[in-house]
């Protein structure tokens, strides 16, 4: 893991960002122990901001503390996968149906541009870029829904959902990554079609396919 040195100002905030991104990128792997002293040495800081960062990431569901065993990166269990995917399906089905109510050419063009960039990144084999665009695509739908309480929920769940998306993308082979990127066009077409039942169906199928890819990689105790 090659974490960047963190300046003194806003140290706990910066450490939190560094560790969160290391988890999302896979530098810190599921199940990996997080030793405060070692992390502080790598980040060039004291153990106090590292401890605070681990507390924040525990609240986000990315880190877990075990009695007498310290902290470790959360490993996705089959129950976690079911709960995250089922809740995400429910919320994103609501979001796409709501987006349809204010659908216009500008929204259509914005989402299609993201999908085009995602497909191009997948064809170049740029997995981190595909993941970033995948995350941006879904967050754009949440924003387009223009629902304040939905956005508040999204803020609470963002780390869990981002972790889900990262793991789903990491589980893809190169050719499958291109096909996955292209499936986002089905979502745009379904929203543009104006049938809320079809939009909800396509979104549920999209999330279900990602969950199915992850099921063999869950790490139940």
């Amino acid at each position: 893991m090659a974490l960047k040195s963190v300046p003194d100002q806003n140290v706990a905030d910066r450490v939190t960002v560094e560790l969160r991104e290391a988890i999302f990128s896979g530098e810190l792997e599921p199940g990996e122990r997080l030793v405060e002293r070692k992390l502080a040495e790598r980040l060039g800081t004291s153990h106090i901001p590292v401890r605070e960062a681990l507390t924040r990431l525990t609240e986000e569901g990315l880190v877990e503390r075990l009695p007498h065993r310290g902290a470790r990166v959360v490993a996705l269990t089959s129950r976690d996968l079911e709960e995250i995917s089922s809740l995400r399906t429910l919320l994103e089905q609501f979001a796409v149906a709501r987006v349809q109510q204010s659908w216009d050419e500008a929204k259509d063009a914005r989402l299609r541009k993201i999908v085009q960039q995602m497909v191009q990144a997948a064809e170049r084999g740029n997995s981190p870029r595909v993941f970033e665009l995948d995350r941006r695509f879904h967050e754009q739908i949440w924003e387009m829904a223009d629902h304040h309480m939905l956005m508040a929920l999204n803020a609470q769940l963002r780390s869990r959902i981002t972790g889900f998306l990262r793991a789903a993308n990491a589980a893809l082979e190169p050719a499958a990554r291109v096909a996955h990127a292209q499936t986002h066009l089905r979502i745009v077409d379904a929203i543009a079609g104006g049938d809320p039942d079809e939009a909800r169906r396509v979104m549920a199928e999209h999330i279900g396919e990602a969950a199915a890819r992850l099921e063999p990689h869950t790490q139940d105790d």
Side-chain angles (χ1 to χ4, degrees), residues 2 14 42 67 83 101 103 106 111 140 142 161 173 185 209 216:
R14 292 293 303 277
R42 294 185 183 187
E83 290 187 356
Q101 299 172 14
W103 190 247
L111 288 180
Q140 279 289 300
W142 287 68
I161 292 175
E173 296 296 329
L185 279 176
E209 288 173 354

Side-chain angles (χ1 to χ4, degrees), residues 53-104:
L54 292 178
T55 297
R56 296 180 188 179
L57 295 174
T58 299
E59 293 171 352
E60 293 179 15
L62 297 177
V63 169
E64 63 180 344
R65 294 184 180 275
L66 303 174
H68 312 298
R69 294 171 61 187
R72 71 178 182 183
V73 179
V74 167
L76 188 68
T77 67
S78 57
R79 177 167 179 165
D80 293 333
L81 178 60
E82 190 280 327
E83 290 187 356
I84 294 170
S85 59
S86 61
L87 182 57
R88 184 179 168 219
T89 297
L90 182 66
L91 294 174
E92 295 214 33
Q93 282 183 319
F94 173 81
V96 292
R98 186 173 172 87
V99 169
Q100 280 184 324
Q101 299 172 14
S102 60
W103 190 247
D104 57 28

